[in-house]
Amino acid sequence: MMTAHGKLRREKGSLAEYESQMKDLRAQLTDQIKILDSQVEVKQQQLSDLSEFLRRRGDIEAEYARALDKLTERFTHKTKKKEQWGQSVCQVWSVLLTQTRLESREHAALGDTCCNTLTQRLVHGTEDTHRLHKRSKEVGIQMQDELLKVTTELQTALKTYNLYHTDCLIAEGKLKEAERLEERHTGKSAELGPGQSGGQRRSSVKKMERLMEKRHGRVQETQLKCTKARNDYLLNLAAANAAMNKYYLQDVSTLIDCCDLGFHLSVERVMRCYLASRLRIQKTEEMGLKQLEAAVTSLDQGGDRDALLQQHDAAFCLPFRFNYHPHEGDQVCEVSAESQVRYELETRFQQLQSRLAAVTLETEEISKTLKATLTALLDSMCDSECNPSTDLPSSLSHEPPVGSTAPKLTLAKRRANQQETETYYFTKVKEFLTSSSLTSKLQAKHDLLQDAIQKAEAVDSDPSRMQCARSVRVRKSRPVSQFCHTLFTTDIVSYIQSSGQQIPVVVESCIRFINLHGLHHEGIFRVPGSQREVNLIRDAFERGEDPLSDSECDLDSVAGVLKLYFRGLEPPLFPYDSYSQLLECVQIEGEIEKAGQIKAIVSTFPRPLLIVMRYLFAFLNHVSQYSDENMMQPYNLAVCFGPSLLRGMDSDDAVARQPQVNDLVKTMILQHDIIFAGQSELPGPVYEKHMTLEQEYCEPITEEGDGETEHLPSEDEWEAVAMFDYVARSPAELSFKQGEILILHSKASCDWWRGEVGGVKGLIPHKYISVLEGSERGKREEGGGGGGSTGNLATEDPQTENTTRSQERRHTLDTVRQGGLRPTDRPPFGQADRTTVDKEMISRQMNSVFKELLSRQPPIQSSALTTPAAPTPSPSSSSAPAAKKVGFGLRGRALFRPMD
């Protein structure tokens, strides 16, 4: 108990550390926005002060020009009266007065430039600064939201990993407990000695073996889920760190540059114009003007940006990297490409490679367009018409400055063009930042997967680790159901009640297939599949089969079948009477309040609908978490599923209300954990993020050059009787009728015999037959107390039985590693309940069983349909244990589940 509490504290400690990092990150991002806001206020204040200074300087220059003009007129009048002055002196006065008159004109021109032209430009600069900052802030907030989204996904992946690893530890603990129980039971049996009956010992040994196999299977399943969850966590960890690096090392600088766009250039142009006017009238102040010009020339946008970053290093410095926190002493600290997930990782790696190449090319094209747009925007800001030439002295021309006489229409047109260019430029900035951030995240995942796959290939290529033989399992579809229910174009509630499937088989099978193979598939649900294949899959489901047991189906076609199923439901998944109420929720502003209102409406739906909705929207949310790779954001998924899930009685307004439907479905995808109750409040199937391949119907075959399939030691032939009709599904199988006598040669696997029927050789399913007591095998073991068996061989000697069991386990493990199949949950060959079966009794009981099945209605309360059990002996034959045959279990992809 203390150990459990210690584990819980350590788990909470690692989660608390992530929470603290997230809290610090949010505070830091908020400080960045505040600092950028303060900077724009500083720039606006600087422009305002400069405008006020130039206006007052213009007034002073104008007043000074008027004073000079009065002075010149006064002394010109005096010189005309004093004709007694000599010509040389008069010439001096004439030159002096002329020069003063010219100086008065230059000061008047300077005063007009300062009061009108330069002040107007500064007003425009203030407007530009405010507008550009607002757009930059929008881009910055969006990038921060993307960064927070990545870190939130990392936190969610950590929680999922902790959950699955806890399940793994629990399963391992139960396995150890079972081992201790087995040791205790063995010791107890040894103490009892021969006093205990042989039947009781064998029964207890079988129970312990079944318990151990069940616990071993649970440990393997939880370890596989834990591995997938850890891989997802590590990939999200790499993506989060890459996004952090990209944002703080590149995006922040780009955002600051956008905030300062044109500010330094505007100030520079204004000051250069002022300098040009002053240089024409203040030749004697050349040194001072050169110093001012040097200061103006030293305007440096990049330098100011770096200074700002250094001044506020606490807000803009790169935070600490997110460290990997293994759960409960987990020793694996890297992406694992074990054989169970090797195919999945290789497929994901190839899709990442393709996606990364496309995004990189797109980013390069956007970058080129961005540079060209920036050049055009800067050229528009520093138009030559706003720049007076310093080469031509204005004293030779009595025309007013060019800026004051420019047509207002030309100026307005130039301003409009500039703003249009700004809008396009910021659109490209947003695209570039988003695309480059996506590239960095994809590259991080790509590199991590590449290293993992290379390491796995190096291990596989090691000669010491190569196996001399391996077998491949060919997946077979399950037997066709005897009870057919309409799947498509039906009422889903009625179907669930009649079939007993809480999640319709087409929904469960399609979602499992996409979970295993298509989460990273680009354009899943958006790219249409082959209509022919969609029809074939649909027809197979309608016949009661599960066509997706073969993983070679087209992903887009499987996704099309899932959409087709919901589109064909009548009534739709969301009842008609809730249509208007749900669309009214879209008007609510807050996301939490909106989700709460939707939950209040959805909670009134029938319980079967709620279970299906919870399963579907949890799956869609999981798909959206891989939007970096599959390009299916929640809104894109809402566009694909909205019309299929939500329809009104009146089809005329469907197009007009489509945006509201999309918004509603998007909210339900994002807030599905708030809208739908958990398993404790609403018992029923829950979608799992990391699924595994469930029990498959398999036939082992041998790959060329890889050895032979395992089989039992060579024996004489056995006779068996067919307990059911069976129709072959491939040329390798044999068809037979109930009661027909079969000849068995050897065991092909735990599910199949090699034998013959009517002289034709092939494969025979052992679940459909019963080995006769009088066969050659039974005669041989008669002395050892072994009788006939139902679908299994009689008891073998312990050494042979242990060897066979270990071979079957190795064979199953190799098959799982190569084909992605999960070991079956069936008991090993030779361990089924044994009983003495009489041929006539089997025939008589089979007739009664089939009559009973034809009159029996399928149970409603069970989560899946059940198959008929094998015939059991009559009460009179109570001396032998009942032979119980379990139906075809299809957990996950199943149409039918075994009857308890």
Side-chain angles (χ1 to χ4, degrees):
M1 195 66 181
M2 294 299 292
T3 303
H5 285 299
K7 293 178 179 178
L8 184 59
R9 284 195 298 270
R10 287 194 297 272
E11 178 182 341
K12 290 183 177 179
S14 58
L15 291 175
E17 182 178 346
Y18 271 72
E19 290 287 349
S20 177
Q21 283 186 284
M22 288 291 294
K23 183 178 180 180
D24 295 340
L25 178 61
R26 291 190 181 96
Q28 194 179 42
L29 295 177
T30 303
D31 292 340
Q32 291 178 7
I33 297 298
K34 291 180 179 179
I35 291 172
L36 293 178
D37 289 340
S38 64
Q39 286 299 308
V40 75
E41 293 177 0
V42 170
K43 289 187 286 188
Q44 288 180 340
Q45 186 63 39
Q46 290 175 347
L47 292 176
S48 177
D49 292 343
L50 183 57
S51 178
E52 181 66 16
F53 169 82
L54 291 176
R55 187 183 62 79
R56 295 192 178 187
R57 179 59 186 264
D59 293 339
I60 294 174
E61 292 291 340
E63 184 63 27
Y64 180 58
R66 287 193 293 270
L68 288 178
D69 191 58
K70 291 180 180 179
L71 180 61
T72 303
E73 291 297 329
R74 176 183 176 184
F75 282 94
T76 299
H77 182 69
K78 288 184 177 180
T79 55
K80 288 182 178 179
K81 292 182 178 178
K82 296 182 179 180
E83 296 176 354
Q84 65 275 17
W85 290 11
Q87 290 182 352
S88 56
V89 175
C90 290
Q91 185 64 31
V92 170
W93 271 106
S94 176
V95 171
L96 179 59
L97 294 175
T98 302
Q99 186 62 36
T100 304
R101 190 177 295 109
L102 294 177
E103 186 178 359
S104 173
R105 293 177 182 176
E106 293 292 346
H107 280 284
L110 178 60
D112 182 68
T113 301
C114 292
C115 291
N116 297 320
T117 306
L118 299 183
T119 304
Q120 184 182 15
R121 293 179 190 172
L122 291 174
V123 171
H124 292 166
T126 303
E127 296 174 355
D128 295 343
T129 300
H130 178 73
R131 184 175 63 257
L132 297 177
H133 171 72
K134 182 178 179 181
R135 294 180 177 178
S136 301
K137 184 177 179 180
E138 292 176 355
V139 175
I141 291 175
Q142 181 178 356
M143 299 308 301
Q144 290 182 357
D145 292 340
E146 290 291 333
L147 183 62
L148 291 176
K149 177 184 175 182
V150 173
T151 55
T152 303
E153 291 176 357
L154 171 63
Q155 193 174 12
T156 303
L158 173 61
K159 292 179 180 178
T160 304
Y161 159 60
N162 289 346
L163 176 62
Y164 281 109
H165 193 265
T166 300
D167 294 341
C168 182
L169 294 178
I170 293 174
E172 291 176 354
K174 290 183 178 180
L175 177 61
K176 292 180 181 177
E177 182 181 355
E179 291 174 350
R180 289 195 298 269
L181 182 61
E182 183 181 21
E183 293 176 358
R184 192 182 308 117
H185 185 272
T186 304
K188 186 176 180 181
S189 299
E191 291 177 1
L192 292 177
Q196 188 180 16
S197 65
Q200 291 178 348
R201 285 198 301 271
R202 286 194 298 272
S203 176
S204 61
V205 168
K206 291 175 186 177
K207 290 181 180 179
M208 292 304 302
E209 288 179 350
R210 286 196 295 269
L211 178 61
M212 290 299 295
E213 289 183 3
K214 180 179 179 181
R215 296 291 168 84
H216 274 295
R218 179 59 181 170
V219 168
Q220 292 176 357
E221 179 182 0
T222 54
Q223 286 177 348
L224 181 56
K225 290 182 179 181
C226 180
T227 299
K228 288 189 174 185
R230 187 191 311 111
N231 289 346
D232 199 14
Y233 168 45
L234 289 170
L235 292 173
N236 280 279
L237 181 65
N241 286 324
M244 295 278 288
N245 288 340
K246 173 64 170 55
Y247 176 81
Y248 279 91
L249 298 181
Q250 300 179 22
D251 295 352
V252 168
S253 299
T254 303
L255 289 174
I256 295 176
D257 288 344
C258 291
C259 290
D260 290 342
L261 182 64
F263 173 76
H264 295 77
L265 186 61
S266 299
V267 175
E268 180 182 4
R269 306 320 297 176
V270 168
M271 296 308 300
R272 286 193 179 277
C273 184
Y274 176 75
L275 284 172
S277 300
R278 287 294 305 272
L279 285 173
R280 288 191 292 263
I281 62 174
Q282 297 179 353
K283 296 296 184 180
T284 57
E285 299 178 4
E286 185 176 354
M287 292 302 296
L289 295 178
K290 285 184 179 180
Q291 293 177 357
L292 181 58
E293 184 179 13
V296 173
T297 307
S298 64
L299 289 172
D300 182 13
Q301 182 174 339
D304 289 351
R305 179 197 64 208
D306 296 338
L308 178 63
L309 292 175
Q310 293 176 2
Q311 185 178 359
H312 302 281
D313 57 343
F316 294 110
C317 67
L318 178 66
F320 292 108
R321 289 175 57 88
F322 289 104
N323 295 322
Y324 172 63
H325 294 281
H327 181 258
E328 296 296 336
D330 186 8
Q331 300 298 321
V332 181
C333 59
E334 59 184 9
V335 176
S336 175
E338 296 178 357
S339 57
Q340 293 92 336
V341 295
R342 174 76 172 274
Y343 174 76
E344 176 188 349
L345 291 185
E346 288 179 347
T347 303
R348 185 172 184 179
F349 176 73
Q350 294 174 359
Q351 294 171 343
L352 265 175
Q353 218 169 19
S354 175
R355 176 82 173 116
L356 183 60
V359 173
T360 302
L361 181 61
E362 180 182 356
T363 305
E364 292 176 355
E365 295 298 327
I366 295 175
S367 177
K368 295 177 182 178
T369 306
L370 187 63
K371 292 179 181 179
T373 306
L374 178 61
T375 302
L377 180 59
L378 294 179
D379 290 342
S380 175
M381 288 184 172
C382 54
D383 197 331
S384 60
E385 292 182 3
C386 300
N387 233 358
S389 176
T390 58
D391 297 331
L392 299 176
S394 61
S395 58
L396 301 180
S397 173
H398 300 288
E399 297 179 0
V402 177
S404 61
T405 60
K408 293 184 178 180
L409 293 178
T410 304
L411 180 60
K413 182 178 180 180
R414 186 169 61 248
R415 295 286 297 172
N417 292 337
Q418 177 183 334
Q419 294 182 14
E420 183 179 355
T421 308
E422 288 174 4
T423 302
Y424 183 74
Y425 173 74
F426 273 93
T427 301
K428 289 301 175 183
V429 167
K430 178 181 176 181
E431 293 178 3
F432 174 76
L433 293 179
T434 303
S435 181
S436 57
S437 297
L438 177 58
T439 302
S440 64
K441 290 184 286 186
L442 293 178
Q443 187 66 49
K445 294 182 179 180
H446 174 275
D447 295 342
L448 208 58
L449 287 176
Q450 187 177 31
D451 293 341
I453 293 174
Q454 289 177 352
K455 291 180 181 179
E457 290 177 350
V459 171
D460 293 344
S461 62
D462 187 359
S464 63
R465 296 179 61 91
M466 295 183 64
Q467 300 178 356
C468 59
R470 58 192 179 95
S471 62
V472 179
R473 288 181 181 261
V474 178
R475 299 178 191 165
K476 301 289 184 181
S477 60
R478 271 64 174 189
V480 179
S481 169
Q482 298 182 27
F483 301 98
C484 296
H485 302 273
T486 301
L487 274 171
F488 295 81
T489 64
T490 185
D491 183 359
I492 188 171
V493 177
S494 301
Y495 173 80
I496 292 174
Q497 292 175 350
S498 63
S499 66
Q501 301 171 5
Q502 297 188 63
I503 304 297
V505 61
V506 61
V507 177
E508 183 179 3
S509 185
C510 289
I511 287 180
R512 176 175 295 277
F513 188 89
I514 295 172
N515 176 281
L516 294 173
H517 309 290
L519 289 177
H520 319 287
H521 182 67
E522 183 175 337
I524 188 71
F525 294 117
R526 177 173 55 82
V527 178
S530 168
Q531 187 60 44
R532 177 179 177 274
E533 188 165 355
V534 169
N535 294 336
L536 291 176
I537 297 174
R538 180 198 60 191
D539 295 340
F541 276 119
E542 289 287 11
R543 292 192 301 271
E545 302 173 2
D546 184 4
L548 302 186
S549 59
D550 184 0
S551 62
E552 295 182 358
C553 295
D554 178 55
L555 273 168
D556 294 320
S557 299
V558 175
V561 171
L562 184 61
K563 291 192 295 182
L564 176 65
Y565 172 76
F566 286 108
R567 186 164 61 248
L569 292 179
E570 187 59 40
L573 186 63
F574 287 82
Y576 285 120
D577 53 4
S578 66
Y579 182 73
S580 300
Q581 296 177 348
L582 289 172
L583 292 188
E584 291 176 359
C585 299
V586 178
Q587 308 300 328
I588 302 176
E589 293 293 337
E591 290 295 326
I592 303 301
E593 294 78 3
K594 185 190 301 184
Q597 185 63 28
I598 295 174
K599 179 179 181 180
I601 299 174
V602 170
S603 60
T604 62
F605 292 174
R607 178 179 175 274
L609 285 185
L610 290 177
I611 294 176
V612 175
M613 289 180 183
R614 179 179 63 184
Y615 197 89
L616 174 64
F617 282 99
F619 163 69
L620 294 179
N621 180 271
H622 191 204
V623 173
S624 69
Q625 293 177 9
Y626 296 91
S627 59
D628 288 348
E629 303 174 35
N630 58 35
M631 299 179 66
M632 294 303 293
Q633 291 80 11
Y635 180 78
N636 295 341
L637 292 172
V639 172
C640 294
F641 276 89
S644 301
L645 302 179
L646 202 65
R647 301 192 298 272
M649 296 294 294
D650 186 6
S651 60
D652 295 338
D653 60 346
V655 177
R657 293 200 172 191
Q658 193 58 46
Q660 296 173 284
V661 172
N662 295 341
D663 193 359
L664 174 68
V665 176
K666 174 187 174 183
T667 301
M668 297 186 70
I669 292 175
L670 293 174
Q671 308 293 339
H672 75 97
D673 52 345
I674 298 177
I675 296 174
F676 299 102
Q679 195 171 20
S680 59
E681 301 177 18
L682 182 64
V686 177
Y687 173 76
E688 291 188 5
K689 288 187 176 181
H690 302 290
M691 293 184 176
T692 57
L693 282 172
E694 294 287 340
Q695 180 176 341
E696 296 284 350
Y697 242 74
C698 304
E699 169 196 350
I701 62 175
T702 304
E703 290 187 0
E704 261 185 58
D706 285 343
E708 298 179 356
T709 55
E710 62 165 323
H711 56 81
L712 294 177
S714 176
E715 295 286 350
D716 293 337
E717 297 177 347
W718 299 275
E719 289 185 354
V721 61
M723 302 178 64
F724 304 94
D725 292 345
Y726 182 75
V727 179
R729 295 165 296 177
S730 70
E733 301 176 9
L734 298 177
S735 300
F736 48 82
K737 298 291 185 180
Q738 175 189 352
E740 191 171 355
I741 300 299
L742 315 175
I743 304 299
L744 307 180
H745 298 305
S746 63
K747 204 77 161 77
S749 71
C750 60
D751 294 327
W752 295 87
W753 289 86
R754 293 188 182 91
E756 62 181 80
V757 178
V760 180
K761 296 183 178 181
L763 295 175
I764 301 173
H766 86 282
K767 294 262 183 205
Y768 285 72
I769 64 174
S770 175
V771 179
L772 296 180
E773 181 181 5
S775 64
E776 195 65 30
R777 177 79 172 183
K779 291 178 181 178
R780 289 173 178 236
E781 298 180 350
E782 206 170 353
S789 63
T790 303
N792 291 286
L793 294 178
T795 307
E796 301 176 0
D797 61 284
Q799 183 177 1
T800 304
E801 182 179 356
N802 293 336
T803 303
T804 304
R805 185 184 302 114
S806 63
Q807 289 176 347
E808 289 177 355
R809 288 176 179 173
R810 288 197 303 270
H811 173 76
T812 303
L813 181 59
D814 293 340
T815 305
V816 170
R817 289 175 177 171
Q818 297 173 20
L821 297 177
R822 176 184 168 185
T824 62
D825 294 330
R826 302 186 182 92
F829 167 67
Q831 297 182 20
D833 295 337
R834 300 174 176 84
T835 183
T836 302
V837 182
D838 183 72
K839 180 176 179 181
E840 295 180 359
M841 180 188 69
I842 290 175
S843 178
R844 183 172 60 255
Q845 290 180 350
M846 284 302 303
N847 292 333
S848 63
V849 168
F850 274 98
K851 290 179 180 179
E852 180 182 358
L853 288 177
L854 292 175
S855 61
R856 182 186 302 172
Q857 295 295 332
I860 297 177
Q861 68 277 10
S862 63
S863 61
L865 293 176
T866 57
T867 55
T872 56
S874 61
S876 61
S877 59
S878 58
S879 59
K884 181 179 180 181
K885 291 188 69 66
V886 178
F888 299 90
L890 288 167
R891 299 189 336 237
R893 290 189 182 180
L895 291 175
F896 306 95
R897 290 180 171 82
M899 178 185 297
D900 294 334

